[in-house]
Amino acid sequence: MTDTRPNDLRNGRTDPQRADIATSIDKVRSVLGDLRFGSITLTVHDARVVQIDVTEKTRLTA
């Protein structure tokens, strides 16, 4: 069986109550719901998402 709880790498413990992870996932879900073509880049510092970059492509027809 695989443990899916987030690990806090700074002190080696597992903390199932990481609200920052849930907030980050909710924000990524929201961005994905609005994005048709493009990419999402997450920037992580100290095991926390600190920035979400969204690049949206616009397709033009000739």
Side-chain angles (χ1 to χ4, degrees):
M1 190 161 96
T2 304
D3 186 6
T4 59
R5 293 177 293 172
N7 290 324
D8 187 340
L9 300 177
R10 288 168 291 167
N11 59 16
R13 67 184 176 89
T14 300
D15 187 1
Q17 301 300 320
R18 292 274 309 263
D20 57 324
I21 291 175
T23 301
S24 298
I25 290 171
D26 289 342
K27 182 61 179 172
V28 171
R29 279 189 183 129
S30 173
V31 169
L32 277 172
D34 296 334
L35 188 64
R36 284 195 52 167
F37 300 100
S39 61
I40 300 170
T41 304
L42 304 178
T43 302
V44 179
H45 290 218
D46 289 331
R48 288 188 165 77
V49 175
V50 295
Q51 182 173 327
I52 300 173
D53 293 312
V54 179
T55 303
E56 187 166 3
K57 304 291 184 178
T58 301
R59 306 285 178 165
L60 303 174
T61 57

